[in-house]
Amino acid sequence: FHLGEVNGIQLRGAQSVAIPAIADGTLAGAAVAFGQFAVIASPMQMAAVYGTIANDGVYNAPTLARRAVGADGRVVFQAAAAHERVLRSETAHAVMEMLGGGVDGEQGTGKAARVEGVRVAGKTGTAEDEASGLKPGEVQRYTSFVGAIPADRPRFVILVGAVMVVDEKTSDAVGGKVAAPVFARIAARALAH
């Protein structure tokens, strides 16, 4: 998925983060599998991962523009085409079905991301960090929802994230309650256009 690589996106601050080497069969390897180990990816990188899954397993490098033409008609910028198969088609379809269950399933935490009339495939996320400068009992929490819509023929991948300081014991600020409803509003408007 090109995580940990420098990407060519035309944004300052969109640098990639190196991924630490993790040996199979270790506690760290198991912790990565359920999201409890410090492997950091930018929102752009995560959107590109979900874009790959939604695109039948074919990776396309993120870009803000395909090309730019100067006043004289010359091409000033041309995004490199990077159509690389990262997943087998069958695997991508299976993952999309699982992501659909995260929104439509009985146990799904992304129910608030539903959009009337279309199926959403996505995943909630909630992570905490005991950042410096916080009061006792406070944590910095990152909540997110990333998904593809419509799930059967994806046109959009949308990632919504929020960082907030919360009381660790009483806050119910999680991805399904904070970011998923925002995803639903953005997705509905995008589909309407």
Side-chain angles (χ1 to χ4, degrees):
F1 294 107
H2 296 271
L3 295 173
E5 295 178 9
V6 175
N7 59 47
I9 193 80
Q10 306 87 8
L11 286 176
R12 276 187 240 129
Q15 296 87 4
S16 299
V17 179
I19 297 175
I22 299 169
D24 288 339
T26 64
L27 180 58
V32 165
F34 60 87
Q36 295 297 315
F37 188 80
V39 173
I40 299 169
S42 72
M44 183 63 73
Q45 289 172 311
M46 289 310 303
V49 168
Y50 278 76
T52 300
I53 296 165
N55 193 33
D56 196 41
V58 176
Y59 173 82
N60 290 299
T63 185
L64 295 178
R66 289 190 185 122
R67 72 182 193 148
V69 180
D72 61 358
R74 290 184 310 143
V75 175
V76 177
F77 168 80
Q78 179 81 38
H83 307 292
E84 175 190 356
R85 179 156 295 281
V86 175
L87 296 173
R88 291 181 309 142
S89 181
E90 300 82 16
T91 304
H93 287 284
V95 173
M96 284 293 287
E97 280 301 310
M98 288 184 251
L99 292 170
V103 176
D104 294 332
E106 188 177 315
Q107 302 277 320
T109 57
K111 289 179 175 62
R114 292 177 178 163
V115 175
E116 189 174 336
V118 292
R119 188 158 186 249
V120 174
K123 176 76 179 85
T124 60
T126 305
E128 290 184 352
D129 182 21
E130 295 178 4
S132 62
L134 300 178
K135 297 175 188 167
E138 288 183 337
V139 293
Q140 182 170 286
R141 187 172 290 171
Y142 178 77
T143 62
S144 64
F145 185 88
V146 59
I149 188 166
D152 55 340
R153 293 192 59 146
R155 295 186 56 215
F156 301 102
V157 170
I158 301 165
L159 185 145
V160 175
V163 179
M164 63 202 82
V165 174
V166 298
D167 183 298
E168 184 177 30
K169 293 188 176 24
T170 62
S171 176
D172 66 347
V174 294
K177 292 185 178 184
V178 175
V182 177
F183 170 93
R185 289 193 300 273
I186 294 169
R189 289 190 70 177
L191 288 172
H193 289 286

